[in-house]
Amino acid sequence: MIARSLRFAAAIGLLLVLASCTLLHGRSIDRPLVYYVRNVTVMADARIPLDLIGGIDRRVSAAIAATRAPQGAERVVLLVKIDRLGFGEGARRHLAQAKLTVTATSVETGEPVAQGSFTVNSPTDDSRWVRQALAEEIAARIRFAFSLTTPRIRRAAPPARTISTRLKTDPASLVVPNTSPVPPRAAAAPKAAPQKPVIAAAPVAATPPPPKEMAVPPVAATTQPTSPRAPAQPARRAADIGSGTPVEQGASGTIRLRAECDPAVTSNCTAAP
């Protein structure tokens, strides 16, 4: 009986000590607080997955960076300690559950000014998203408790629209990569004697044919028939010219009956033709 009373008294004393520490070092977070939060640190033991710790730290840090500094607020840093990670009870027995303690410590004095314990449940039991969903729920609870701004989600710019004249019914064009196949590594072969480089002669440009001229019909050379020249005849005197001749008065001339010679002039010419 006495031992039972002693255990009960020890439990009461421990509760009073914890209550005094809470009253001396800070107050419970029962409503949104306004502090100038400068930084956050997430702590846990080796049983807590690292991706859960990193997800909480990344989300709370983004909220701190997006929050505008309130005027005249006390500067604090946050210490988030994950005490337990397990599953819920009753209807939440298949959902992940985390119990954590958040402490706000003053930058000027180094003493805790606010402290609170939270129990957060994951909204899904899908093993692919359970840790990230739980990290988002914990970060949302911390943002609400310390009046932090929810950061905006960056949206990727839509791809630029292009105009194409290809119809939807046309087959898609094939794109052949411009890569040459790499030959397999061949066995080492004996080195051949170096050969002189062959200098390729520059191609000679073909000479264009001369322009064709219009053909002119050939002109046959014509030769004039030449008559045999008569031998020179001596001149006749005017006294020798008789009347009734066809030669005019005062002129000298001869009438040849034959083309070869004139018997009146030439002595060796016969009179008969």
Side-chain angles (χ1 to χ4, degrees), residues 54-126:
I56 298 172
D57 185 271
R58 183 172 61 254
R59 287 170 170 82
V60 177
S61 299
I64 294 173
T67 303
R68 181 178 299 179
Q71 295 293 334
E74 186 177 2
R75 297 186 302 167
V76 298
V77 292
L78 299 182
L79 176 61
V80 180
K81 184 177 181 301
I82 302 176
D83 301 323
R84 177 182 176 275
L85 179 62
F87 293 93
E89 299 177 356
R92 298 178 179 176
R93 62 182 179 274
H94 299 295
L95 301 177
Q97 186 182 78
K99 293 184 178 181
L100 61 148
T101 303
V102 182
T103 304
T105 304
S106 176
V107 175
E108 285 78 8
T109 61
E111 297 181 356
V113 295
Q115 186 177 15
S117 298
F118 307 99
T119 301
V120 182
N121 297 281
S122 175
T124 179
D125 57 351
D126 193 344

Side-chain angles (χ1 to χ4, degrees), residues 64-256:
I64 294 173
T67 303
R68 181 178 299 179
Q71 295 293 334
E74 186 177 2
R75 297 186 302 167
V76 298
V77 292
L78 299 182
L79 176 61
V80 180
K81 184 177 181 301
I82 302 176
D83 301 323
R84 177 182 176 275
L85 179 62
F87 293 93
E89 299 177 356
R92 298 178 179 176
R93 62 182 179 274
H94 299 295
L95 301 177
Q97 186 182 78
K99 293 184 178 181
L100 61 148
T101 303
V102 182
T103 304
T105 304
S106 176
V107 175
E108 285 78 8
T109 61
E111 297 181 356
V113 295
Q115 186 177 15
S117 298
F118 307 99
T119 301
V120 182
N121 297 281
S122 175
T124 179
D125 57 351
D126 193 344
S127 59
R128 298 174 300 176
W129 318 106
V130 59
R131 294 178 182 174
Q132 297 301 324
L134 184 59
E136 179 60 29
E137 291 294 326
I138 294 174
R141 187 68 182 89
I142 297 174
R143 288 196 299 263
F144 173 77
F146 290 92
S147 303
L148 299 178
T149 303
T150 303
R152 299 180 59 182
I153 300 176
R154 293 183 179 180
R155 296 183 179 180
R161 300 182 61 183
T162 57
I163 300 176
S164 176
T165 57
R166 187 174 63 86
L167 301 178
K168 294 183 178 179
T169 56
D170 294 344
S173 58
L174 298 178
V175 179
V176 180
N178 189 12
T179 57
S180 57
V182 180
R185 181 177 298 176
K191 295 183 178 180
Q195 298 179 357
K196 295 182 178 181
V198 178
I199 302 176
V204 179
T207 305
K212 295 182 179 181
E213 298 180 356
M214 183 177 294
V216 180
V219 179
T222 57
T223 58
Q224 299 292 337
T226 59
S227 58
R229 299 181 61 184
Q233 300 293 331
R236 296 179 62 181
R237 297 177 299 174
D240 298 336
I241 300 173
S243 60
T245 61
V247 180
E248 296 182 0
Q249 186 69 30
S252 63
T254 60
I255 299 175
R256 292 180 298 175

